[in-house]
Amino acid sequence: MSERYVSVALDVPLPRVFDYRLPDAWQVAVGQRVIVPFGRQVLSGIALALGDTAPDVATVRDVLDAPGDMPPLPGDVLDLCRFCADYYAYPLGAVLAAALPGAFRQPRPWPGHEEAGAYVAPDVARLLATISARAAKQRALAELLTQPRRVDAIRAVAGDAMRWLRDWQAVGLVERTRAPAVATEVAPSASPELNAEQRAAVMAVTEARGFQPLLLFGITGSGKTEVYLQAIEAVRRRGEQALVLVPEINLTPQLEARFRARFPGEHIVSLHSGLADGERVRHWLEAGDGRAGIVLGTRLAVFAPLPGLGLIVVDEEHDASYRQAEGFRYSARDAAVYRARLRDVPVLLGSATPALESWKNARDGRYRLLRLTQRAVSGARPPRMELVPTQRMRLTDGFSDAALGALRDTLASGGQALVFVNRRGYSPVLSCQDCGWMSSCRHCSARLVLHLGERKLRCHHCGHEERVPHACPDCGNHDLKPVGHGTQRVEAALEALFPDANLLRIDRDSTRRKGALGEMLRRVHAGEADLLIGTQMLAKGHDFPGLALVVVLNADGGLFSADFRAEERLFAQLLQVSGRAGRAGREGRVLIQTHYPEHPFYGALLAGDYAAFADTQLQERRALALPPFSAWAILRGEAKQLQPALAFLRETKALLAGGAVHVADPVPAALARKAGWERAHVVLSATGRAPLQAALRYLAQTLAETPPRGVRWALDVDPQEF
DNA sequence: AGCACGCCGACT
DNA sequence: GTCGGCGTGCTC
């Protein structure tokens, strides 16, 4: 018998696989997890190919273990990972590692393995014959094992049940088996009546045959979730699985509760990074054996094994959280579309402010556009948006008189109000009145934010903290003044202005503690807070039925940004914040303070016409050949000094000279210094995907083979921020 | 990425 | 005299 070999993808930053010898008679499948020696370490990897020709290398080592804790990755997950590795020019082993629960990246069998399986006695009569007639509990357990039973059911019989089970298993009287599928009774609670647009949308999804992306474009409150629910209901009636992606981990509990209420008896699992290791593995396995009918999760869930996949839903598809910002920089929304193609199923992308990429696809007819133009909740009206011009106005702690008046009226009439501030902390910078000194981070090219409560200056980019100086470090003057308004300063000002109001500040600082956000949202719903101060984390997904007024301080930040996507993001953000107001019958009011009331941006925003705004933006992007009319990638380089980083980028630019890809000149990054590293980048662009792809492959290969000295580099394909 | 081996500064 | 700094070299 000839030797057998296996190619293994490992989580190392090398764009190649490694071959190992398979010990005799071992059964290993493609997609299976194997434990292998690697240098002086032991690693977990994924078997990609099996063969009987010896690899052409000096030494071939043996596979150490092929634990059965993880069923082999199904073909479509492998293909999706291969696609991502290629598209994002990232090593396949690292992509596969990101696709797996952490426990399956460890080079040892998952300790909870025993727990997850089910057990059955193939011959109960034979088993009973070995048990004493007086051992009633043991006999009861044996009877139970006529069918596969999970560990929890077995434990329920007796405290010693697992020990008996192991004894029986050792002599072959009991076998470990696949967990039984839970009979899913799809008995949804009454579905609300849909309006005509919603019905049409649900129909479009349920009638879609094979791969079909659908863009569900609906304003806040137009009932997108109801469309998802009814489309999923249809999928479940066919016995297929639904995958639902949400942008943020904060939104999963809320959505999960709504799904559970709607589909009682349905097995719903969530997948996100907040789960404990064991739970994550359990949910992943339940998705993979088809037991979970609905899988709800953040971006990492797009890689979950789903044998019966029938529909993918991507909620708030424009949201930046779908992109991983570090390491393997992928877009889960794009991966979801590709996966739907692989599986030949529909994919439903929902948003009130679709990404321009998706909008263009819909305009080009590649995606089917489904519009929801009406608020689905009866009697609900869109909020009234007003601009408050502030260019020549005296402000009180950042507030115009109009905004303060509106807050006073709202509180007096018993309504809730939200003040939206785009920065946390007390003030974004501390400054010397005398010499102009400003608090800045010694590791980053960024200002240190004043956090008055903790008496700290803190860098929001690297986490560096220092004590607030009593005097100016440059000139010794004692007149240090906070400049600008963060959430804490706004909170302090409102406390003074509205002493009787119940204030609640909701930002990353006040919700750092586990469960804090949930508790705060509960208080808002219970009416225990009537004046909310929040950053954009409040804008997403949470319903505040009592909210009558939203005040937006300082909206202009995104209007004159060097980043061509800033306006698109600002529109989405402002529309999303205003969508929080007036959801339960009464008309909400939104006040936006701006220095530039004449800017065309605000015209489109006030008209609430995202379609018109998006079309205009697309025209501009077309004229300037910006994405989505061209394909972009960024090569980032960082070093201890700026010069080597720039030199590296110049050399790389020379490497690509003369090709179909345009390489811009190296420039320092917007945040040129971060955590002590000088950062720079070059933009690579091409009119088509294919030439960019080829250049990236060549770059990644070359840089991996001959890594630059002293320079860390990363490729960012379809970059979202600069 | 790890984890080694490999040559130069301040410490028991 | 050595403990340890991080440069560079390799991993089937």
PDB file of all heavy atoms in Angstrom, chain A residues 347-379:
ATOM      1  N   VAL A 347     -30.283  36.203  -1.694  1.00  0.00           N
ATOM      2  CA  VAL A 347     -29.704  36.949  -0.590  1.00  0.00           C
ATOM      3  C   VAL A 347     -30.402  38.297  -0.535  1.00  0.00           C
ATOM      4  O   VAL A 347     -30.514  38.992  -1.539  1.00  0.00           O
ATOM      5  CB  VAL A 347     -28.162  37.089  -0.723  1.00  0.00           C
ATOM      6  CG1 VAL A 347     -27.757  37.623  -2.081  1.00  0.00           C
ATOM      7  CG2 VAL A 347     -27.588  37.973   0.386  1.00  0.00           C
ATOM      8  N   LEU A 348     -30.919  38.622   0.671  1.00  0.00           N
ATOM      9  CA  LEU A 348     -31.727  39.828   0.843  1.00  0.00           C
ATOM     10  C   LEU A 348     -30.919  40.855   1.621  1.00  0.00           C
ATOM     11  O   LEU A 348     -30.565  40.629   2.782  1.00  0.00           O
ATOM     12  CB  LEU A 348     -33.010  39.455   1.599  1.00  0.00           C
ATOM     13  CG  LEU A 348     -34.009  40.556   1.932  1.00  0.00           C
ATOM     14  CD1 LEU A 348     -34.520  41.237   0.670  1.00  0.00           C
ATOM     15  CD2 LEU A 348     -35.186  39.972   2.727  1.00  0.00           C
ATOM     16  N   LEU A 349     -30.593  41.979   0.964  1.00  0.00           N
ATOM     17  CA  LEU A 349     -29.831  43.038   1.619  1.00  0.00           C
ATOM     18  C   LEU A 349     -30.796  44.153   1.993  1.00  0.00           C
ATOM     19  O   LEU A 349     -31.482  44.692   1.123  1.00  0.00           O
ATOM     20  CB  LEU A 349     -28.757  43.589   0.676  1.00  0.00           C
ATOM     21  CG  LEU A 349     -27.850  42.584  -0.036  1.00  0.00           C
ATOM     22  CD1 LEU A 349     -26.915  43.298  -1.017  1.00  0.00           C
ATOM     23  CD2 LEU A 349     -27.032  41.796   0.980  1.00  0.00           C
ATOM     24  N   GLY A 350     -30.861  44.495   3.271  1.00  0.00           N
ATOM     25  CA  GLY A 350     -31.810  45.521   3.696  1.00  0.00           C
ATOM     26  C   GLY A 350     -31.129  46.774   4.200  1.00  0.00           C
ATOM     27  O   GLY A 350     -30.120  46.689   4.885  1.00  0.00           O
ATOM     28  N   SER A 351     -31.665  47.943   3.844  1.00  0.00           N
ATOM     29  CA  SER A 351     -31.120  49.197   4.361  1.00  0.00           C
ATOM     30  C   SER A 351     -32.022  50.372   4.020  1.00  0.00           C
ATOM     31  O   SER A 351     -32.730  50.358   3.012  1.00  0.00           O
ATOM     32  CB  SER A 351     -29.734  49.459   3.772  1.00  0.00           C
ATOM     33  OG  SER A 351     -29.234  50.694   4.224  1.00  0.00           O
ATOM     34  N   ALA A 352     -31.985  51.385   4.879  1.00  0.00           N
ATOM     35  CA  ALA A 352     -32.648  52.649   4.550  1.00  0.00           C
ATOM     36  C   ALA A 352     -31.706  53.529   3.740  1.00  0.00           C
ATOM     37  O   ALA A 352     -32.134  54.455   3.061  1.00  0.00           O
ATOM     38  CB  ALA A 352     -33.061  53.364   5.828  1.00  0.00           C
ATOM     39  N   THR A 353     -30.416  53.232   3.845  1.00  0.00           N
ATOM     40  CA  THR A 353     -29.410  54.017   3.133  1.00  0.00           C
ATOM     41  C   THR A 353     -28.385  53.054   2.531  1.00  0.00           C
ATOM     42  O   THR A 353     -27.284  52.928   3.036  1.00  0.00           O
ATOM     43  CB  THR A 353     -28.683  54.969   4.093  1.00  0.00           C
ATOM     44  OG1 THR A 353     -28.212  54.210   5.214  1.00  0.00           O
ATOM     45  CG2 THR A 353     -29.583  56.069   4.591  1.00  0.00           C
ATOM     46  N   PRO A 354     -28.764  52.350   1.464  1.00  0.00           N
ATOM     47  CA  PRO A 354     -27.875  51.320   0.913  1.00  0.00           C
ATOM     48  C   PRO A 354     -26.499  51.885   0.570  1.00  0.00           C
ATOM     49  O   PRO A 354     -26.372  53.056   0.218  1.00  0.00           O
ATOM     50  CB  PRO A 354     -28.592  50.881  -0.369  1.00  0.00           C
ATOM     51  CG  PRO A 354     -30.011  51.258  -0.176  1.00  0.00           C
ATOM     52  CD  PRO A 354     -30.007  52.481   0.689  1.00  0.00           C
ATOM     53  N   ALA A 355     -25.499  51.032   0.681  1.00  0.00           N
ATOM     54  CA  ALA A 355     -24.155  51.397   0.243  1.00  0.00           C
ATOM     55  C   ALA A 355     -24.222  51.727  -1.243  1.00  0.00           C
ATOM     56  O   ALA A 355     -24.980  51.105  -1.988  1.00  0.00           O
ATOM     57  CB  ALA A 355     -23.197  50.241   0.490  1.00  0.00           C
ATOM     58  N   LEU A 356     -23.431  52.686  -1.676  1.00  0.00           N
ATOM     59  CA  LEU A 356     -23.486  53.070  -3.088  1.00  0.00           C
ATOM     60  C   LEU A 356     -23.144  51.899  -3.999  1.00  0.00           C
ATOM     61  O   LEU A 356     -23.644  51.811  -5.120  1.00  0.00           O
ATOM     62  CB  LEU A 356     -22.563  54.254  -3.363  1.00  0.00           C
ATOM     63  CG  LEU A 356     -23.072  55.599  -2.848  1.00  0.00           C
ATOM     64  CD1 LEU A 356     -22.176  56.718  -3.327  1.00  0.00           C
ATOM     65  CD2 LEU A 356     -24.502  55.858  -3.293  1.00  0.00           C
ATOM     66  N   GLU A 357     -22.306  50.981  -3.522  1.00  0.00           N
ATOM     67  CA  GLU A 357     -21.986  49.786  -4.303  1.00  0.00           C
ATOM     68  C   GLU A 357     -23.262  48.984  -4.574  1.00  0.00           C
ATOM     69  O   GLU A 357     -23.517  48.575  -5.712  1.00  0.00           O
ATOM     70  CB  GLU A 357     -20.988  48.898  -3.543  1.00  0.00           C
ATOM     71  CG  GLU A 357     -19.551  49.365  -3.586  1.00  0.00           C
ATOM     72  CD  GLU A 357     -19.264  50.567  -2.681  1.00  0.00           C
ATOM     73  OE1 GLU A 357     -20.167  50.966  -1.891  1.00  0.00           O
ATOM     74  OE2 GLU A 357     -18.157  51.117  -2.764  1.00  0.00           O
ATOM     75  N   SER A 358     -24.062  48.792  -3.520  1.00  0.00           N
ATOM     76  CA  SER A 358     -25.299  48.016  -3.675  1.00  0.00           C
ATOM     77  C   SER A 358     -26.310  48.794  -4.519  1.00  0.00           C
ATOM     78  O   SER A 358     -27.035  48.223  -5.332  1.00  0.00           O
ATOM     79  CB  SER A 358     -25.898  47.706  -2.306  1.00  0.00           C
ATOM     80  OG  SER A 358     -24.954  47.049  -1.506  1.00  0.00           O
ATOM     81  N   TRP A 359     -26.348  50.098  -4.289  1.00  0.00           N
ATOM     82  CA  TRP A 359     -27.288  50.944  -5.026  1.00  0.00           C
ATOM     83  C   TRP A 359     -26.987  50.875  -6.514  1.00  0.00           C
ATOM     84  O   TRP A 359     -27.885  50.753  -7.345  1.00  0.00           O
ATOM     85  CB  TRP A 359     -27.180  52.383  -4.501  1.00  0.00           C
ATOM     86  CG  TRP A 359     -28.214  53.297  -5.071  1.00  0.00           C
ATOM     87  CD1 TRP A 359     -28.013  54.298  -5.972  1.00  0.00           C
ATOM     88  CD2 TRP A 359     -29.612  53.272  -4.785  1.00  0.00           C
ATOM     89  NE1 TRP A 359     -29.196  54.903  -6.279  1.00  0.00           N
ATOM     90  CE2 TRP A 359     -30.208  54.303  -5.563  1.00  0.00           C
ATOM     91  CE3 TRP A 359     -30.434  52.492  -3.973  1.00  0.00           C
ATOM     92  CZ2 TRP A 359     -31.568  54.564  -5.535  1.00  0.00           C
ATOM     93  CZ3 TRP A 359     -31.794  52.756  -3.944  1.00  0.00           C
ATOM     94  CH2 TRP A 359     -32.349  53.773  -4.715  1.00  0.00           C
ATOM     95  N   LYS A 360     -25.710  50.928  -6.853  1.00  0.00           N
ATOM     96  CA  LYS A 360     -25.325  50.841  -8.263  1.00  0.00           C
ATOM     97  C   LYS A 360     -25.729  49.472  -8.831  1.00  0.00           C
ATOM     98  O   LYS A 360     -26.252  49.391  -9.942  1.00  0.00           O
ATOM     99  CB  LYS A 360     -23.820  51.041  -8.414  1.00  0.00           C
ATOM    100  CG  LYS A 360     -23.338  50.911  -9.857  1.00  0.00           C
ATOM    101  CD  LYS A 360     -21.855  51.231  -9.975  1.00  0.00           C
ATOM    102  CE  LYS A 360     -21.389  51.217 -11.419  1.00  0.00           C
ATOM    103  NZ  LYS A 360     -21.349  49.844 -11.977  1.00  0.00           N
ATOM    104  N   ASN A 361     -25.485  48.417  -8.077  1.00  0.00           N
ATOM    105  CA  ASN A 361     -25.874  47.086  -8.537  1.00  0.00           C
ATOM    106  C   ASN A 361     -27.365  47.005  -8.811  1.00  0.00           C
ATOM    107  O   ASN A 361     -27.804  46.356  -9.759  1.00  0.00           O
ATOM    108  CB  ASN A 361     -25.473  46.015  -7.521  1.00  0.00           C
ATOM    109  CG  ASN A 361     -24.001  45.655  -7.639  1.00  0.00           C
ATOM    110  OD1 ASN A 361     -23.456  45.658  -8.730  1.00  0.00           O
ATOM    111  ND2 ASN A 361     -23.369  45.359  -6.520  1.00  0.00           N
ATOM    112  N   ALA A 362     -28.147  47.676  -7.946  1.00  0.00           N
ATOM    113  CA  ALA A 362     -29.593  47.683  -8.154  1.00  0.00           C
ATOM    114  C   ALA A 362     -29.933  48.502  -9.397  1.00  0.00           C
ATOM    115  O   ALA A 362     -30.756  48.096 -10.227  1.00  0.00           O
ATOM    116  CB  ALA A 362     -30.294  48.249  -6.931  1.00  0.00           C
ATOM    117  N   ARG A 363     -29.301  49.657  -9.544  1.00  0.00           N
ATOM    118  CA  ARG A 363     -29.542  50.515 -10.716  1.00  0.00           C
ATOM    119  C   ARG A 363     -29.155  49.798 -12.006  1.00  0.00           C
ATOM    120  O   ARG A 363     -29.792  49.981 -13.044  1.00  0.00           O
ATOM    121  CB  ARG A 363     -28.735  51.810 -10.590  1.00  0.00           C
ATOM    122  CG  ARG A 363     -29.334  52.838  -9.637  1.00  0.00           C
ATOM    123  CD  ARG A 363     -30.664  53.295 -10.170  1.00  0.00           C
ATOM    124  NE  ARG A 363     -31.203  54.445  -9.449  1.00  0.00           N
ATOM    125  CZ  ARG A 363     -32.489  54.574  -9.146  1.00  0.00           C
ATOM    126  NH1 ARG A 363     -33.343  53.614  -9.446  1.00  0.00           N
ATOM    127  NH2 ARG A 363     -32.908  55.652  -8.531  1.00  0.00           N
ATOM    128  N   ASP A 364     -28.102  48.997 -11.953  1.00  0.00           N
ATOM    129  CA  ASP A 364     -27.647  48.268 -13.139  1.00  0.00           C
ATOM    130  C   ASP A 364     -28.453  46.998 -13.396  1.00  0.00           C
ATOM    131  O   ASP A 364     -28.173  46.266 -14.340  1.00  0.00           O
ATOM    132  CB  ASP A 364     -26.171  47.881 -12.999  1.00  0.00           C
ATOM    133  CG  ASP A 364     -25.253  49.089 -13.021  1.00  0.00           C
ATOM    134  OD1 ASP A 364     -25.742  50.197 -13.347  1.00  0.00           O
ATOM    135  OD2 ASP A 364     -24.060  48.942 -12.700  1.00  0.00           O
ATOM    136  N   GLY A 365     -29.391  46.711 -12.490  1.00  0.00           N
ATOM    137  CA  GLY A 365     -30.226  45.536 -12.679  1.00  0.00           C
ATOM    138  C   GLY A 365     -29.590  44.228 -12.223  1.00  0.00           C
ATOM    139  O   GLY A 365     -30.128  43.152 -12.426  1.00  0.00           O
ATOM    140  N   ARG A 366     -28.416  44.338 -11.589  1.00  0.00           N
ATOM    141  CA  ARG A 366     -27.790  43.114 -11.085  1.00  0.00           C
ATOM    142  C   ARG A 366     -28.458  42.647  -9.799  1.00  0.00           C
ATOM    143  O   ARG A 366     -28.496  41.454  -9.508  1.00  0.00           O
ATOM    144  CB  ARG A 366     -26.305  43.350 -10.843  1.00  0.00           C
ATOM    145  CG  ARG A 366     -25.501  43.570 -12.132  1.00  0.00           C
ATOM    146  CD  ARG A 366     -24.278  44.444 -11.881  1.00  0.00           C
ATOM    147  NE  ARG A 366     -23.423  43.854 -10.864  1.00  0.00           N
ATOM    148  CZ  ARG A 366     -22.410  43.029 -11.147  1.00  0.00           C
ATOM    149  NH1 ARG A 366     -22.159  42.695 -12.394  1.00  0.00           N
ATOM    150  NH2 ARG A 366     -21.678  42.544 -10.186  1.00  0.00           N
ATOM    151  N   TYR A 367     -28.943  43.604  -9.025  1.00  0.00           N
ATOM    152  CA  TYR A 367     -29.737  43.274  -7.843  1.00  0.00           C
ATOM    153  C   TYR A 367     -31.178  43.688  -8.132  1.00  0.00           C
ATOM    154  O   TYR A 367     -31.405  44.669  -8.824  1.00  0.00           O
ATOM    155  CB  TYR A 367     -29.263  44.059  -6.610  1.00  0.00           C
ATOM    156  CG  TYR A 367     -27.903  43.694  -6.080  1.00  0.00           C
ATOM    157  CD1 TYR A 367     -27.096  42.739  -6.697  1.00  0.00           C
ATOM    158  CD2 TYR A 367     -27.420  44.313  -4.931  1.00  0.00           C
ATOM    159  CE1 TYR A 367     -25.852  42.425  -6.199  1.00  0.00           C
ATOM    160  CE2 TYR A 367     -26.166  44.008  -4.419  1.00  0.00           C
ATOM    161  CZ  TYR A 367     -25.380  43.062  -5.065  1.00  0.00           C
ATOM    162  OH  TYR A 367     -24.144  42.760  -4.562  1.00  0.00           O
ATOM    163  N   ARG A 368     -32.101  42.947  -7.546  1.00  0.00           N
ATOM    164  CA  ARG A 368     -33.490  43.356  -7.696  1.00  0.00           C
ATOM    165  C   ARG A 368     -33.820  44.356  -6.600  1.00  0.00           C
ATOM    166  O   ARG A 368     -33.595  44.089  -5.412  1.00  0.00           O
ATOM    167  CB  ARG A 368     -34.385  42.112  -7.591  1.00  0.00           C
ATOM    168  CG  ARG A 368     -35.825  42.451  -7.712  1.00  0.00           C
ATOM    169  CD  ARG A 368     -36.650  41.303  -8.224  1.00  0.00           C
ATOM    170  NE  ARG A 368     -38.030  41.748  -8.312  1.00  0.00           N
ATOM    171  CZ  ARG A 368     -39.056  40.938  -8.331  1.00  0.00           C
ATOM    172  NH1 ARG A 368     -38.864  39.641  -8.303  1.00  0.00           N
ATOM    173  NH2 ARG A 368     -40.272  41.424  -8.404  1.00  0.00           N
ATOM    174  N   LEU A 369     -34.335  45.518  -6.990  1.00  0.00           N
ATOM    175  CA  LEU A 369     -34.630  46.577  -6.022  1.00  0.00           C
ATOM    176  C   LEU A 369     -36.056  46.438  -5.507  1.00  0.00           C
ATOM    177  O   LEU A 369     -37.005  46.397  -6.288  1.00  0.00           O
ATOM    178  CB  LEU A 369     -34.440  47.949  -6.670  1.00  0.00           C
ATOM    179  CG  LEU A 369     -34.673  49.170  -5.764  1.00  0.00           C
ATOM    180  CD1 LEU A 369     -33.691  49.179  -4.599  1.00  0.00           C
ATOM    181  CD2 LEU A 369     -34.558  50.465  -6.570  1.00  0.00           C
ATOM    182  N   LEU A 370     -36.191  46.348  -4.182  1.00  0.00           N
ATOM    183  CA  LEU A 370     -37.510  46.278  -3.551  1.00  0.00           C
ATOM    184  C   LEU A 370     -37.650  47.504  -2.666  1.00  0.00           C
ATOM    185  O   LEU A 370     -36.836  47.718  -1.773  1.00  0.00           O
ATOM    186  CB  LEU A 370     -37.626  45.013  -2.693  1.00  0.00           C
ATOM    187  CG  LEU A 370     -37.230  43.692  -3.359  1.00  0.00           C
ATOM    188  CD1 LEU A 370     -37.125  42.582  -2.321  1.00  0.00           C
ATOM    189  CD2 LEU A 370     -38.237  43.327  -4.435  1.00  0.00           C
ATOM    190  N   ARG A 371     -38.672  48.306  -2.931  1.00  0.00           N
ATOM    191  CA  ARG A 371     -38.813  49.542  -2.166  1.00  0.00           C
ATOM    192  C   ARG A 371     -39.915  49.449  -1.126  1.00  0.00           C
ATOM    193  O   ARG A 371     -40.997  48.919  -1.403  1.00  0.00           O
ATOM    194  CB  ARG A 371     -39.185  50.700  -3.102  1.00  0.00           C
ATOM    195  CG  ARG A 371     -38.056  51.235  -3.933  1.00  0.00           C
ATOM    196  CD  ARG A 371     -38.653  52.219  -4.917  1.00  0.00           C
ATOM    197  NE  ARG A 371     -37.674  52.705  -5.867  1.00  0.00           N
ATOM    198  CZ  ARG A 371     -37.022  53.863  -5.735  1.00  0.00           C
ATOM    199  NH1 ARG A 371     -37.264  54.644  -4.697  1.00  0.00           N
ATOM    200  NH2 ARG A 371     -36.133  54.239  -6.639  1.00  0.00           N
ATOM    201  N   LEU A 372     -39.630  49.988   0.051  1.00  0.00           N
ATOM    202  CA  LEU A 372     -40.675  50.191   1.054  1.00  0.00           C
ATOM    203  C   LEU A 372     -40.712  51.687   1.318  1.00  0.00           C
ATOM    204  O   LEU A 372     -39.781  52.238   1.884  1.00  0.00           O
ATOM    205  CB  LEU A 372     -40.356  49.443   2.351  1.00  0.00           C
ATOM    206  CG  LEU A 372     -40.160  47.932   2.281  1.00  0.00           C
ATOM    207  CD1 LEU A 372     -39.866  47.373   3.665  1.00  0.00           C
ATOM    208  CD2 LEU A 372     -41.387  47.241   1.699  1.00  0.00           C
ATOM    209  N   THR A 373     -41.762  52.341   0.876  1.00  0.00           N
ATOM    210  CA  THR A 373     -41.786  53.804   0.990  1.00  0.00           C
ATOM    211  C   THR A 373     -42.677  54.289   2.126  1.00  0.00           C
ATOM    212  O   THR A 373     -42.652  55.456   2.481  1.00  0.00           O
ATOM    213  CB  THR A 373     -42.302  54.440  -0.315  1.00  0.00           C
ATOM    214  OG1 THR A 373     -43.610  53.933  -0.570  1.00  0.00           O
ATOM    215  CG2 THR A 373     -41.386  54.101  -1.479  1.00  0.00           C
ATOM    216  N   GLN A 374     -43.486  53.371   2.683  1.00  0.00           N
ATOM    217  CA  GLN A 374     -44.393  53.810   3.731  1.00  0.00           C
ATOM    218  C   GLN A 374     -43.989  53.291   5.095  1.00  0.00           C
ATOM    219  O   GLN A 374     -43.424  52.201   5.202  1.00  0.00           O
ATOM    220  CB  GLN A 374     -45.826  53.308   3.441  1.00  0.00           C
ATOM    221  CG  GLN A 374     -46.625  54.253   2.608  1.00  0.00           C
ATOM    222  CD  GLN A 374     -47.189  53.535   1.408  1.00  0.00           C
ATOM    223  OE1 GLN A 374     -47.763  52.462   1.547  1.00  0.00           O
ATOM    224  NE2 GLN A 374     -47.015  54.108   0.230  1.00  0.00           N
ATOM    225  N   ARG A 375     -44.290  54.069   6.113  1.00  0.00           N
ATOM    226  CA  ARG A 375     -44.094  53.566   7.460  1.00  0.00           C
ATOM    227  C   ARG A 375     -45.148  52.498   7.705  1.00  0.00           C
ATOM    228  O   ARG A 375     -46.337  52.721   7.470  1.00  0.00           O
ATOM    229  CB  ARG A 375     -44.221  54.706   8.477  1.00  0.00           C
ATOM    230  CG  ARG A 375     -43.009  55.627   8.444  1.00  0.00           C
ATOM    231  CD  ARG A 375     -42.725  56.193   9.811  1.00  0.00           C
ATOM    232  NE  ARG A 375     -41.335  56.667   9.867  1.00  0.00           N
ATOM    233  CZ  ARG A 375     -40.743  57.051  10.995  1.00  0.00           C
ATOM    234  NH1 ARG A 375     -41.405  57.032  12.125  1.00  0.00           N
ATOM    235  NH2 ARG A 375     -39.498  57.444  10.985  1.00  0.00           N
ATOM    236  N   ALA A 376     -44.694  51.344   8.153  1.00  0.00           N
ATOM    237  CA  ALA A 376     -45.609  50.212   8.286  1.00  0.00           C
ATOM    238  C   ALA A 376     -46.489  50.327   9.527  1.00  0.00           C
ATOM    239  O   ALA A 376     -47.619  49.886   9.546  1.00  0.00           O
ATOM    240  CB  ALA A 376     -44.818  48.909   8.323  1.00  0.00           C
ATOM    241  N   VAL A 377     -45.940  50.956  10.572  1.00  0.00           N
ATOM    242  CA  VAL A 377     -46.712  51.131  11.796  1.00  0.00           C
ATOM    243  C   VAL A 377     -47.825  52.133  11.499  1.00  0.00           C
ATOM    244  O   VAL A 377     -47.559  53.236  11.031  1.00  0.00           O
ATOM    245  CB  VAL A 377     -45.817  51.677  12.928  1.00  0.00           C
ATOM    246  CG1 VAL A 377     -46.551  51.661  14.244  1.00  0.00           C
ATOM    247  CG2 VAL A 377     -44.527  50.879  13.002  1.00  0.00           C
ATOM    248  N   SER A 378     -49.056  51.728  11.781  1.00  0.00           N
ATOM    249  CA  SER A 378     -50.163  52.586  11.390  1.00  0.00           C
ATOM    250  C   SER A 378     -50.093  53.909  12.142  1.00  0.00           C
ATOM    251  O   SER A 378     -49.801  53.961  13.330  1.00  0.00           O
ATOM    252  CB  SER A 378     -51.494  51.894  11.666  1.00  0.00           C
ATOM    253  OG  SER A 378     -51.604  51.645  13.036  1.00  0.00           O
ATOM    254  N   GLY A 379     -50.309  54.988  11.437  1.00  0.00           N
ATOM    255  CA  GLY A 379     -50.319  56.302  12.076  1.00  0.00           C
ATOM    256  C   GLY A 379     -48.946  56.916  12.211  1.00  0.00           C
ATOM    257  O   GLY A 379     -48.817  58.088  12.524  1.00  0.00           O
TER     258      GLY A 379
END
